[in-house]
Amino acid sequence: IYAYINDIIITSKDIEEYLKYIETVLDILDKVYIYISIEKSFIAYLSVRLLSYIVNGEGVAKIDNRITVFKKLKFPNTLEALE
């Protein structure tokens, strides 16, 4: 279970474990009077992209798409090419 500001991400290896985690998290939130919006909830996704990470049942992986975009840019090498 991962938490970031106002997001809770629950991962597991199988659906039974996943449902148990959801029940546990919802029980804890209910005990402290924190409620979630069902309209903003995403349940049973195989993977989720959060900031620059991919979260799934295997864990968390960093993705660096933003850096590769800048590496592919071709910058002009002369003043004439800037015009």
Side-chain angles (χ1 to χ4, degrees):
I1 299 174
Y2 305 93
Y4 178 77
I5 301 179
N6 62 347
D7 294 320
I8 300 171
I9 300 171
I10 301 171
T11 64
S12 65
K13 300 285 184 201
D14 56 56
I15 191 69
E16 290 83 16
E17 183 182 51
Y18 181 72
L19 293 173
K20 185 171 32 169
Y21 286 157
I22 288 178
E23 185 176 2
T24 302
V25 168
L26 292 176
D27 286 344
I28 291 169
L29 293 175
D30 188 49
K31 286 179 184 175
V32 294
Y33 304 103
I34 296 175
Y35 303 101
I36 62 168
S37 169
I38 196 69
E39 292 85 17
K40 294 181 181 180
S41 300
F42 301 94
I43 299 173
Y45 277 59
L46 295 178
S47 67
V48 177
R49 185 176 180 162
L50 179 65
L51 301 174
S52 58
Y53 294 90
I54 295 288
V55 181
N56 58 31
E58 301 298 316
V60 180
K62 177 98 170 113
I63 51 176
D64 270 339
N65 292 1
R66 294 174 287 175
I67 294 172
T68 56
V69 170
F70 286 106
K71 287 182 178 179
K72 291 180 181 179
L73 286 177
K74 294 185 179 181
F75 294 97
N77 55 4
T78 66
L79 290 176
E80 293 168 352
L82 287 173
E83 296 175 354

